[in-house]
Amino acid sequence: VPALSIQGLSKTYDNGFSALKGVDLTVPQGGFFALLGPNGAGKSTMIGIISSLFKPTTGSVHIFGTDLLENPSIAKQYLGVVPQEFNFNMFEKVEDILITQAGYFGIPAKEARPRAKRLLTALGLWDKRDSKSRDLSGGMKRRLMIARALIHKPKLLILDEPTAGVDIELRRSMWEFMQQINIEENTTIILTTHYLEEAEQLCKRIAILDHGEIRINTEMKGLLAQLS
Ligand code: ADP
Ligand code: ADP
């Protein structure tokens, strides 16, 4: 089954604006998939629906074959999402944030601790485990968002503009880590970005969303040939 399958997805906001207009999208298992599009294309709307923040107006979403609207609790086990905005409890300590998150998935603290240590170490945050998240730098918060999204070993990780406002050195180390997770844990990774360059380096497949519609959905190589 595909990691993600979206059919006929549309979203009309209360003010009457249609941010998604019948999107069909299939993301195969295994690699990195880029969802590209200019600001306002509908990327965050799509991720909001996949994250169950709100419901689509029409259409369906399947995550590893499970219908998100019919079986949300099962579908969510497969999924880790890194939204654009930081949404931590600012007074909770770094390690506790991961343990709390694991609890939402029914993973006891005892089991979650070694995983939390591994993730925080790999992301350069282990020394900060007892700090409150509000005391972290922007780049550290970004990495903590990634660690939190991975605590329950999701099979699909979705990153919404993960490198926005992140300097080039940190960007590189974030992607190295992501590639390691992709290979070692066989996690499918979808990222949204408006940098074609970044997508080009990482992703085998790419889809382009524009004004709420998928314009292109192709192998990265094919796209580059088309553009040149
Ligand atoms: P992207 O993430 O690609 O920049 P978004 O999904 O954030 O795009 O937004 C798509 C369009 O929907 C934009 O034009 C935005 O202004 C509009 N939009 C987003 N959220 C709302 C909302 N709550 N109500 C009305 N319009 C919205
Ligand atoms: P700031 O947001 O204040 O610039 P950051 O948290 O972004 O600080 O990064 C501080 C430094 O930590 C970076 O310059 C980088 O060298 C280092 N760093 C970034 N990512 C990692 C990582 N995955 N593992 C180890 N060190 C890292």
Side-chain angles (χ1 to χ4, degrees), residues 149-171:
L150 288 169
I151 191 72
H152 63 295
K153 298 192 179 169
K155 286 154 65 79
L156 174 62
L157 178 69
I158 301 184
L159 304 151
D160 194 3
E161 302 269 357
T163 54
V166 168
D167 67 60
I168 193 150
E169 192 188 342
L170 177 56
R171 221 185 277 184

Side-chain angles (χ1 to χ4, degrees), residues 65-83:
T66 299
D67 190 316
L68 177 66
L69 295 169
E70 283 173 13
N71 292 301
S73 61
I74 298 171
K76 282 187 213 171
Q77 297 274 344
Y78 295 128
L79 184 68
V81 180
V82 180

Side-chain angles (χ1 to χ4, degrees), residues 67-171:
D67 190 316
L68 177 66
L69 295 169
E70 283 173 13
N71 292 301
S73 61
I74 298 171
K76 282 187 213 171
Q77 297 274 344
Y78 295 128
L79 184 68
V81 180
V82 180
Q84 278 185 50
E85 278 91 41
F86 302 131
N87 57 359
F88 303 117
N89 172 347
M90 286 291 162
F91 301 99
E92 201 174 16
K93 291 177 180 174
V94 165
E95 189 180 10
D96 294 341
I97 286 173
L98 299 196
I99 304 302
T100 300
Q101 180 77 3
Y104 296 140
F105 293 96
I107 303 165
K110 214 178 126 194
E111 245 176 76
R113 275 215 177 81
R115 171 81 172 165
K117 182 174 183 181
R118 198 193 140 215
L119 291 170
L120 292 175
T121 303
L123 286 162
L125 289 171
W126 182 240
D127 290 347
K128 297 284 177 187
R129 62 189 174 278
D130 291 325
S131 302
K132 289 175 180 151
S133 68
R134 63 167 182 182
D135 296 329
L136 301 180
S137 72
M140 288 173 179
K141 284 187 189 131
R142 182 67 54 202
R143 285 179 270 149
L144 180 57
M145 298 275 278
I146 294 170
R148 185 180 60 177
L150 288 169
I151 191 72
H152 63 295
K153 298 192 179 169
K155 286 154 65 79
L156 174 62
L157 178 69
I158 301 184
L159 304 151
D160 194 3
E161 302 269 357
T163 54
V166 168
D167 67 60
I168 193 150
E169 192 188 342
L170 177 56
R171 221 185 277 184

